[in-house]
């Protein structure tokens, strides 16, 4: 998904003609991307059209998992290490076998010839360890829509993720006569749709959760940033769900709960799901506690790990509308730092098309608080069963949120039905003084991320002199360090000083959990995206107020991260063992676009002259922060 501008490279930055030519190509390509914003989106398919993802293997290939994604999937669903087996007795030394003909035991026997198969493919298609997902089906759906959803549930089951489905009906008002029968009928429609697609499903029509907060919650003074569920469940209440899962069946529940008089009443499906997420996690922890040694009940063939690994909210409306994309869905949400801001910027005009978006956002925040840190939630339209496979295998959004904004706007994959991926995430903050940095933690982060030893004295002396700001994720799980590099006298004002990305680091334990994208989006909002309305970073810093500046950085030519940089930069120049990257200030580009009446640029602009030569002259002289390798 590289733009033409991101592929630009120059062999020699000192050659003015080459630089001018390449720079002109850069901006011509960029404006071509900007002009694509005028293209209209292709209309979505009607609800009753057969979805194109008919083949399970094709859906796997479309997920396009990376090596890290595959390893993460196998860690959750692949075979567990087996305990060492005692060595087999030597027949010649065993008294019980001494009188037997050893040669007869080893008589020639044709060897078993097994076809060579990919370990990764075999593990994905034959998961050993089964996990659970909580699924909210926000009905009503047509029969064809349920057929598409059921196909997605079956795909997930083949990959080892078994769904526990709670069915809601938005069009059925609470308190109406016959609502219980209508919800039961809706659950049976889902069961029939699953069985018609070849799955085994079981309706669980009795209440499995209890109305009201869990005993002890009201007395707890523990600080929390989520809303406690209005219902709860005990491990003994999950017997019907356990029974269905052991039998290889998908449990389907209507939103019923037991009140204080032990009557089964209709409640909000969000309360049922939140109670199940919490209760199933606690039941799974109890299972492991009661296990014997290394063998826990969840490792046997008829058991399944009850800890919810995913929360899936399947609706007709899709993901959460984004202020940064004129109402198209958010791609990736850091609930810890973005939840309040998303609610504040929710346009009332989106309400008719997305009536439950904010309630589902709150549901995701509550549920993820009780799920493992690696878990995620996805809000998806009924049109995209294959996107559930992509989310399961990669645990990434359909389109990266850290890609250039213009590229996202022109991306045909970004439609009103693009899923929204939600992670618990980490707090993001911006600091501007060295004395606000925890130096030991920052040192540990940099050294673990780069696997090098930091020259501490020289590094902190340089930061004291040149630091612009640092973006910190969580408790130093990741950081982006930006400096302001001074240029020689006579450098054009549009170039000096240089906004330089000195370090971009994420702990290995947080690579793949969204921290990289969260950091880069915050970096965009504080540098080259500053000044645009969608760059009002809710994580501190300048809050979108100010003038954007070009962001420049360098990377070793053999750095495997360069592919990621190519996709996010405006352009790059190769300099021997290094690659110089940059992102152009987006406000300036939009201003120039308007001045040119959307015609784009076909020649070198005055403010561009000398940029690459100045960047190369300054950036390539920045000393290394690392001690020499021994």
């Amino acid at each position: 998904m590289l733009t033409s501008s991101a592929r630009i490279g120059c062999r020699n930055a000192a050659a003015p003609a080459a630089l001018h030519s390449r720079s002109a190509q850069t901006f011509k390509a960029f404006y071509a991307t900007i002009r694509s914003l005028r293209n209209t989106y292709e209309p979505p398919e009607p609800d009753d059209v057969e979805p194109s993802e008919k083949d399970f293997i094709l859906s796997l290939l479309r997920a396009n998992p990376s090596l890290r994604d595959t390893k993460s999937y196998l860690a959750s669903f692949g075979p567990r290490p087996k305990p060492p087996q005692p060595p087999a007795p030597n027949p010649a030394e065993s008294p019980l076998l001494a009188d037997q003909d050893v040669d007869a035991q080893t008589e020639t026997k044709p060897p078993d010839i097994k076809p060579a198969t990919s370990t990764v493919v075999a593990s994905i298609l034959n998961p050993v360890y089964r996990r659970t997902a909580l699924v909210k089906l926000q009905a009503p759906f047509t029969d064809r829509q349920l057929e598409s959803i059921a196909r997605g549930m079956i795909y997930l089951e083949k990959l080892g993720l078994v769904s526990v489905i709670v069915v809601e009906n938005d069009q059925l008002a609470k308190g109406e006569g016959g609502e219980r029968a209508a919800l039961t009928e809706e659950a049976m429609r889902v069961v029939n749709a699953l069985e018609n697609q070849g799955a085994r499903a079981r309706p669980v029509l009795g209440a499995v959760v209890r109305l009201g907060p869990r005993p002890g919650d009201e007395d707890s003074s523990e600080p929390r940033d989520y809303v406690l569920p209005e219902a709860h469940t005990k491990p003994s209440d999950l017997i019907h769900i356990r029974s269905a899962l052991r039998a290889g069946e998908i449990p389907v529940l209507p939103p019923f709960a037991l009140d204080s008089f032990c009557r089964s009443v209709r409640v909000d499906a969000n309360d049922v799901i939140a109670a199940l997420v919490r209760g199933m996690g606690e039941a799974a922890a109890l299972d492991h506690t009661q296990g014997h040694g290394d063998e826990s009940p969840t490792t046997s063939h008829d058991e399944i790990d009850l800890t919810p690994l995913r929360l899936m909210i399947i609706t007709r409306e899709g993901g959460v509308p984004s202020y940064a994309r004129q109402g198209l869905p958010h791609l990736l949400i850091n609930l810890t730092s973005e939840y309040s801001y998303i609610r504040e910027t929710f346009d009332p005009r989106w309400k008719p098309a997305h009536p439950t978006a904010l309630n589902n956002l709150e549901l995701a925040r509550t549920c993820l608080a009780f799920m493992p840190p690696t878990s995620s939630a996805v809000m998806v339209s009924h049109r995209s069963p294959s996107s559930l496979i992509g989310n399961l295998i990669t645990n990434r959004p359909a389109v990266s949120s850290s890609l250039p904004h213009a590229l996202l706007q022109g991306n045909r994959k970004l439609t009103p039905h693009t899923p929204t991926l939600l992670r618990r995430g980490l707090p993001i903050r911006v600091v501007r003084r060295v004395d606000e940095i925890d130096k030991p933690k920052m040192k540990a982060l940099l050294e673990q991320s780069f696997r090098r030893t930091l020259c501490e004295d020289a590094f902190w002396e340089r930061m004291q002199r040149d630091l612009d700001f640092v973006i910190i994720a969580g408790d130093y799980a990741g950081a982006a360090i930006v400096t302001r590099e001074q240029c020689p006298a006579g450098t054009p004002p549009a170039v000096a000083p240089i906004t330089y990305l000195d370090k971009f680091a994420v702990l290995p334990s947080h690579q793949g959990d969204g921290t990289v994208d969260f950091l880069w989006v915050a970096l965009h909002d504080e540098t080259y995206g500053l000044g645009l309305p969608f760059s009002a970073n809710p994580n501190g810093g300048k809050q979108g107020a100010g003038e954007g500046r070009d962001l420049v950085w360098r990377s070793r030519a053999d750095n495997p991260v360069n592919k990621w940089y190519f996709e996010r930069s405006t352009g790059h120049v190769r300099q021997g063992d290094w690659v110089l990257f940059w992102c152009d200030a987006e406000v300036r580009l939009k201003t120039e676009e308007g001045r040119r009446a959307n015609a784009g640029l076909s020649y070198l602009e005055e403010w561009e002259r000398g940029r690459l030569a100045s960047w190369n002259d300054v950036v390539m002289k920045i000393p290394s922060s690392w001690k020499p390798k021994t």
Side-chain angles (χ1 to χ4, degrees):
M1 300 204 315
L2 300 181
T3 62
S4 299
S5 57
R7 298 191 181 97
I8 296 174
C10 299
R11 292 293 181 184
N12 187 352
L19 290 180
H20 294 174
S21 174
R22 294 295 185 187
S23 184
Q25 292 177 28
T26 295
F27 286 94
K28 185 175 180 180
F30 188 90
Y31 283 114
T33 302
I34 292 290
R35 286 196 301 273
S36 70
L37 298 181
R38 298 197 302 272
N39 296 338
T40 58
Y41 295 105
E42 295 181 355
E45 296 180 354
D47 290 343
D48 58 350
V49 173
E50 181 74 17
S52 60
E53 297 84 11
K54 294 182 179 179
D55 185 75
F56 174 56
I57 302 298
L58 181 59
S59 297
L60 282 176
L61 296 175
R62 284 176 175 168
N64 192 25
S66 66
L67 180 60
R68 177 181 294 158
D69 297 332
T70 305
K71 288 180 178 179
S72 177
Y73 169 83
L74 294 179
S76 295
F77 296 92
R80 297 297 188 264
K82 295 182 179 180
Q85 299 293 330
N90 186 338
E93 298 177 358
S94 173
L96 298 177
L97 302 177
D99 295 334
Q100 298 182 17
D101 186 352
V102 176
D103 291 336
Q105 299 177 35
T106 58
E107 61 184 343
T108 58
K109 211 173 158 186
D112 292 335
I113 300 177
K114 297 181 179 179
T117 58
S118 166
T119 304
V120 171
V121 172
S123 299
I124 289 178
L125 296 180
N126 298 282
V128 175
Y129 200 59
R130 295 190 300 157
R131 309 294 294 271
T132 56
L134 262 295
V135 180
K136 176 185 178 183
L137 282 190
Q138 199 163 299
F141 295 110
T142 66
D143 290 341
R144 185 58 61 87
Q145 291 167 356
L146 280 181
E147 179 184 329
S148 175
I149 293 169
R151 187 179 298 109
M153 299 296 99
I154 293 172
Y155 288 172
L156 295 176
E157 187 178 28
K158 290 180 179 179
L159 292 169
L161 189 70
V162 185
S163 301
V164 177
I165 301 175
V166 178
V167 183
E168 179 65 285
N169 190 330
D170 291 339
Q171 295 182 356
L172 185 62
K174 289 183 174 62
E176 284 190 357
E179 63 175 342
R180 184 179 185 86
L183 288 168
T184 300
E185 181 182 354
E186 198 69 53
M188 293 306 301
R189 287 186 65 224
V190 175
V191 170
N192 292 333
L194 289 166
E195 292 183 339
N196 289 339
Q197 293 296 315
R200 299 171 61 192
R202 179 189 298 185
V204 181
L205 303 180
V208 296
V209 304
R210 302 165 186 263
L211 197 58
R214 192 180 67 167
D217 280 348
E218 298 173 345
D219 301 329
S220 176
S221 59
E222 179 184 352
R224 61 179 67 92
D225 59 357
Y226 57 89
V227 178
L228 283 171
E230 291 294 329
H232 67 282
T233 186
K234 299 179 180 179
S236 59
D237 298 328
L238 302 174
I239 182 171
H240 298 295
I241 292 178
R242 280 186 185 274
S243 175
L245 295 174
R246 286 173 178 169
E249 299 170 338
I250 297 175
V252 181
L253 296 74
F256 298 151
L258 290 177
D259 65 9
S260 58
F261 297 99
C262 291
R263 296 174 303 189
S264 179
V265 297
R266 180 193 180 184
V267 297
D268 194 298
N270 287 7
D271 293 328
V272 176
I273 292 170
L276 285 175
V277 165
R278 188 180 190 182
M280 289 170 63
E282 291 171 348
L286 186 62
D287 287 345
H288 286 283
T289 301
Q290 294 175 349
H292 303 285
D294 293 332
E295 296 289 333
S296 69
T298 56
T299 59
S300 63
H301 290 292
D302 62 344
E303 278 289 355
I304 185 169
D305 191 340
L306 286 179
T307 307
L309 190 68
R310 294 286 190 276
L311 170 67
M312 299 178 182
I313 303 171
I314 303 176
T315 69
R316 299 181 308 280
E317 57 196 72
V320 183
S322 169
Y323 60 90
R325 278 178 275 282
Q326 292 76 51
L328 289 177
H330 279 275
L331 299 173
L332 177 64
I333 293 178
N334 179 347
L335 287 168
T336 299
S337 64
E338 298 179 50
Y339 175 81
S340 298
Y341 194 74
I342 290 174
R343 293 188 69 93
E344 293 168 3
T345 56
F346 189 88
D347 194 322
R349 292 174 295 179
W350 299 334
K351 186 71 173 177
H354 301 270
T356 63
L358 295 183
N359 288 337
N360 287 331
L361 181 71
E362 183 176 305
L363 171 65
R365 185 174 69 153
T366 298
C367 290
L368 287 174
F370 297 107
M371 295 166 70
T374 55
S375 298
S376 63
V378 60
M379 295 173 61
V380 62
S381 165
H382 61 274
R383 301 174 189 271
S384 307
S386 65
S387 64
L388 299 176
I389 289 181
N391 169 254
L392 174 62
I393 298 177
T394 66
N395 210 8
R396 289 187 280 114
V399 183
S400 175
S401 59
S402 61
L403 287 170
H405 188 75
L407 186 59
L408 286 175
Q409 291 290 81
N411 194 323
R412 294 195 174 208
K413 289 184 179 180
L414 188 58
T415 73
H417 297 280
T418 302
T420 295
L421 182 68
L422 305 101
R423 306 296 294 261
R424 185 188 306 177
L426 298 167
I428 306 289
R429 59 193 176 98
V430 179
V431 301
R432 299 192 177 276
R433 298 196 304 273
V434 174
D435 56 12
E436 296 181 68
I437 301 173
D438 188 318
K439 293 183 179 180
K441 289 183 178 180
M442 180 63 77
K443 176 178 180 291
L445 165 63
L446 296 177
E447 292 186 342
Q448 289 184 51
S449 178
F450 288 90
R451 299 179 183 178
R452 301 283 300 274
T453 303
L454 191 68
C455 293
E456 287 191 77
D457 293 341
F459 176 76
W460 292 117
E461 180 181 351
R462 179 172 131 68
M463 290 299 105
Q464 196 70 46
R465 182 182 67 247
D466 300 326
L467 180 67
D468 189 356
F469 63 88
V470 182
I471 303 173
I472 301 171
D475 190 18
Y476 290 82
I481 301 176
V482 177
T483 60
R484 294 181 73 83
E485 303 297 327
Q486 301 303 319
C487 297
T491 304
V495 177
I498 298 172
T499 301
Y500 176 67
L501 177 58
D502 190 89
K503 296 288 184 293
F504 189 83
V506 175
L507 286 176
S509 59
H510 283 269
Q511 293 174 5
D513 69 355
T515 301
V516 171
D517 279 332
F518 296 145
L519 264 180
W520 193 270
V521 170
L523 177 66
H524 161 275
D525 292 352
E526 289 296 310
T527 55
Y528 63 98
L530 189 64
L532 294 177
F534 51 78
S535 297
N537 187 351
N539 309 306
K542 297 183 178 180
Q543 300 287 324
E547 183 178 352
R549 294 190 58 86
D550 303 331
L551 179 69
V552 185
W553 71 99
R554 69 183 183 186
S555 176
R556 290 281 182 184
D558 58 354
N559 188 345
V561 182
N562 285 348
K563 178 180 181 297
W564 197 83
Y565 287 152
F566 288 142
E567 294 173 344
R568 283 150 186 81
S569 62
T570 303
H572 69 273
V573 177
R574 296 188 181 274
Q575 294 292 327
D577 295 336
W578 293 92
V579 182
L580 180 72
F581 293 93
W582 72 91
C583 288
D584 290 307
E586 293 180 352
V587 168
R588 184 192 303 127
L589 292 179
K590 290 183 74 68
T591 302
E592 292 296 334
E593 179 196 8
R595 187 168 64 86
R596 294 286 172 191
N598 298 324
L601 296 181
S602 58
Y603 58 88
L604 192 67
E605 283 293 290
E606 199 61 39
W607 55 267
E608 294 181 77
R609 296 186 184 278
R611 283 199 318 167
L612 296 185
S614 298
W615 290 344
N616 179 73
D617 184 52
V618 174
V619 169
M620 291 304 166
K621 294 178 182 177
I622 296 175
S624 172
S625 304
W626 311 108
K627 292 181 179 179
K629 293 182 179 180
T630 56

